[in-house]
Amino acid sequence: MLCVFDVNETLLDVAGLDATIGGPELRREWFGLVIHTALTVTASGGYRDFAGIAGDAAVEVAARHGREVDLAKLGEGLRSLPAHPDVEAGLVKLREAGHDVVALTNSPLTTAEAQLQNSGLAPHFDRIFSAEQAGRLKPAPEAYRQVLDAYPGRQAVMIAAHDWDIAGAQAAGLRTALLARPGVRPLPGAPEPTYTISALPELAELL
């Protein structure tokens, strides 16, 4: 099986930005605005650099609360996010079971490469894909199809902690595994994910 992983919040803990953004509440508001903007751009047929979206959203959220944000520090923080505690063990189990493991993220490729390197996860991945290469952010089908095109004929499963990412992968023909981290639920009214797991090591037992 080709295991395709989202990166931010699925593998890496965005809570690592709390101090930079101004605490958990502002970090959640910021990331929500990032995703809202990315989805709006994608739904309207456009493309914007995801790192640029993240920076613009940080400036907007800071202004709402009478604060300032250091964008250089934010970028450094994004590239240095820690992995969730369950991630490395899960990746090891998947690779030991013979599955190929790749990443697919909306972040620019250089950012994704730095993220996986700095978190210590890079050795567990066969390849890193960015929506930047497709010119369309997830959940647009082009982002997922570039991975399928690189591995023709392979069955693939998208693993993500985002309901919209699961929906996009399903529409593109991938199996899906929703990683139900705290607060994560399936998209209302959408087809059920192929698998729902609470921690990554569970996936190797299901594939």
Side-chain angles (χ1 to χ4, degrees):
M1 181 73 71
L2 177 64
C3 298
V4 186
F5 280 90
D6 173 56
V7 175
N8 295 310
E9 290 198 318
T10 300
L11 299 174
L12 304 181
D13 190 355
V14 181
L17 293 173
D18 284 0
T20 302
I21 295 292
E25 291 187 6
L26 291 190
R27 184 255 305 167
R28 284 190 286 268
E29 182 179 347
W30 162 74
F31 200 73
L33 182 57
V34 171
I35 298 304
H36 176 81
T37 303
L39 291 174
T40 302
V41 168
T42 301
S44 57
Y47 173 79
R48 282 180 61 192
D49 176 82
F50 193 72
I53 290 174
D56 290 345
V59 171
E60 168 62 22
V61 169
R64 291 176 185 176
H65 296 273
R67 303 172 61 94
E68 294 184 355
V69 62
D70 185 334
L71 291 181
K73 189 174 181 181
L74 175 64
E76 180 183 347
L78 278 167
R79 292 187 293 272
S80 304
L81 293 173
H84 284 287
D86 62 308
V87 167
E88 187 164 20
L91 295 175
V92 168
K93 289 187 70 172
L94 288 169
R95 292 182 64 89
E96 287 178 345
H99 302 294
D100 293 316
V101 178
V102 302
L104 172 61
T105 178
N106 275 339
S107 296
L109 184 60
T110 55
T111 299
E113 291 172 338
Q115 286 181 308
L116 294 181
Q117 187 66 45
N118 292 336
S119 64
L121 299 179
H124 301 294
F125 284 85
D126 300 297
R127 190 167 172 182
I128 303 170
F129 293 87
S130 167
E132 173 186 52
Q133 297 163 297
R136 293 276 281 158
L137 295 172
K138 296 185 293 177
E142 293 88 346
Y144 306 96
R145 287 175 184 158
Q146 67 169 324
V147 181
L148 298 179
D149 289 346
Y151 291 85
R154 294 290 303 278
Q155 287 191 332
V157 57
M158 181 77 205
I159 303 100
H162 302 288
D163 53 9
W164 54 267
D165 206 351
I166 294 296
Q170 286 174 322
L174 287 77
R175 297 183 183 184
T176 55
L178 179 65
L179 182 49
R181 299 209 179 279
V184 173
R185 301 280 298 170
L187 192 68
E192 287 290 321
T194 313
Y195 313 104
T196 298
I197 55 176
S198 59
L200 190 51
E202 298 172 20
L203 185 60
E205 309 298 328
L206 298 173
L207 297 181

